[in-house]
């Protein structure tokens, strides 16, 4: 219920922010693959569909979102109008004020199920790219022997979202950890003062789709969950203080209103 209240409060922000798109800056429309719209690679079964929107850059124009399970593994699936993952943020050369592009599945799953406190906020799976910092210290995604230079590679996080007017009217952020607080955190928490986890489950990009396979000790809470699909840009606070990571631009919401209409395995 607590997550539902937060989602309702955030819906107005998403509805306004969804008018902003990554092609407004120099981050996108630099190459044909970033603007090309392609035929669907598969029939969209299960989950729920969204109508294509030519005002949204093709790699972020969600047309299908789904979560299904196989045994104790949940498969998070999203399809877009273009080539998923071809557009990434332009590096700013510094952490403060840098951008994050993301494919996000907000869910009704309690954050406790992945290692946070019960009722901590809106639990979302996010596939992100951000070339100006690395937040997966346990993993070397590029396999170059350096675990601290891979932020630009697409990778997966669990994040806990919550409202914060400091991010703008009706604003939403990845929730901060107040100084001195010791909340319950996943074992693969990357050590930054926000509610984020870096468990290392790698996203798979294939043409117009992105998928992440995530194992659970208990799949039951996932099977009863609802979800949505969002593509968005986040921004690191220019002062590097709380709120550290705000939702700055929403490219598209699959449901149109963040109502979490998707049902797992349906």
């Amino acid at each position: 219920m607590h997550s539902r209240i937060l989602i309702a409060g955030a819906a107005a922000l998403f509805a306004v922010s969804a008018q902003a798109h990554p092609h407004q800056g120099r981050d996108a429309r630099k190459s044909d693959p970033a603007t090309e719209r392609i035929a669907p690679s598969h029939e969209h079964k299960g989950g729920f569909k969204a109508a294509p929107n030519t005002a949204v850059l093709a790699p972020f124009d969600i047309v299908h979102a789904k979560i299904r399970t196989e045994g104790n593994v949940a498969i998070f699936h999203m399809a877009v109008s273009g080539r998923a993952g071809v557009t990434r943020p332009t590096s700013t050369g510094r952490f403060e004020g840098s951008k994050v592009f993301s494919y996000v599945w907000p869910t009704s799953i309690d954050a406790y199920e992945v290692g946070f406190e019960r009722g901590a906020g809106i639990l979302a799976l996010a596939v992100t790219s951000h070339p100006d910092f690395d937040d997966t210290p346990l993993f070397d995604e590029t396999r170059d022997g350096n675990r601290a230079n891979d932020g630009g590679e697409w990778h997966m996080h669990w994040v806990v979202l919550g409202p914060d007017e400091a991010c703008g009217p009706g604003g939403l952020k990845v929730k901060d950890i107040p100084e001195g607080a010791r909340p319950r955190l996943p074992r693969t928490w990357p050590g930054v003062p926000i509610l984020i986890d870096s468990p290392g489950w790698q996203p798979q990009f294939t043409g117009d789709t992105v998928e992440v396979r995530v194992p659970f000790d208990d799949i039951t809470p996932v099977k009863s969950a609802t979800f949505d699909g969002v593509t968005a840009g986040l921004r690191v606070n220019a002062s590097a203080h709380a709120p550290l990571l705000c939702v700055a631009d929403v490219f598209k919401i699959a449901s149109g209103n963040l109502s979490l209409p998707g049902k797992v395995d349906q």
Side-chain angles (χ1 to χ4, degrees):
M1 179 64 72
H2 182 62
S3 293
R4 285 290 186 182
I5 294 171
L6 290 175
I7 290 167
L13 163 75
F14 277 124
V16 173
S17 297
Q19 303 304 312
H21 307 296
H23 64 254
Q24 292 177 333
R26 60 187 289 259
D27 302 293
R29 294 195 182 270
K30 295 286 285 184
S31 62
D32 289 339
T35 59
E36 180 186 10
R37 292 180 179 269
I38 62 176
S41 62
H42 61 286
E43 183 180 356
H44 300 315
K45 296 181 178 180
F48 67 99
K49 301 176 185 178
N53 183 349
T54 56
V56 178
L57 196 67
F60 298 106
D61 181 21
I62 305 168
V63 295
H64 185 222
K66 179 171 68 174
I67 302 175
R68 61 186 176 88
T69 62
E70 293 179 356
N72 73 322
V73 175
I75 299 96
F76 292 73
H77 170 98
M78 191 179 294
V80 294
S81 291
R83 300 187 185 279
V86 299
T87 300
R88 309 185 195 199
T90 300
S91 176
T92 65
R94 61 199 304 262
F95 173 67
E96 298 85 352
S98 61
K99 295 181 180 180
V100 178
F101 283 178
S102 61
Y103 297 86
V104 185
W105 292 258
T107 77
S108 64
I109 302 169
D110 194 292
Y112 184 87
E113 302 299 334
V114 299
F116 299 102
E117 299 283 2
R118 290 192 186 278
I122 304 166
L123 181 68
L125 185 146
V127 172
T128 68
S129 171
H130 41 75
D132 290 303
F133 62 97
D134 187 289
D135 54 6
T136 57
L138 296 176
F139 306 103
D140 179 12
E141 288 90 345
T142 58
R143 301 182 182 180
D144 65 353
N146 185 347
R147 295 195 304 273
N149 67 348
D150 308 316
E153 299 297 313
W154 290 104
H155 55 281
M156 171 266 183
H157 293 291
W158 287 114
V159 293
V160 179
L161 303 174
D164 194 325
E165 292 294 314
C167 292
L172 201 65
K173 68 176 181 179
V174 178
K175 295 188 73 171
D176 299 281
I177 300 175
E179 186 174 356
R182 296 290 184 269
R184 183 176 186 258
L185 295 167
R187 288 176 296 176
T188 46
W189 173 64
V192 293
I194 54 177
L195 296 184
I196 187 172
D197 185 29
S198 302
W201 312 119
Q202 286 302 302
Q204 300 295 318
F205 288 87
T206 306
D208 59 345
T209 67
V210 53
E211 284 194 349
V212 190
R213 301 177 68 91
V214 181
F216 285 81
D217 290 335
D218 181 5
I219 200 69
T220 304
V222 179
K223 283 181 170 289
S224 61
T226 57
F227 66 93
D228 215 320
V230 176
T231 50
L234 296 88
R235 183 173 290 112
V236 175
N237 192 318
S239 67
H241 293 110
L244 183 62
L245 190 58
C246 289
V247 177
D249 300 301
V250 176
F251 309 145
K252 186 170 182 177
I253 309 166
S255 68
N257 57 10
L258 205 67
S259 56
L260 275 64
K263 297 182 179 180
V264 176
D265 287 330
Q266 295 185 30

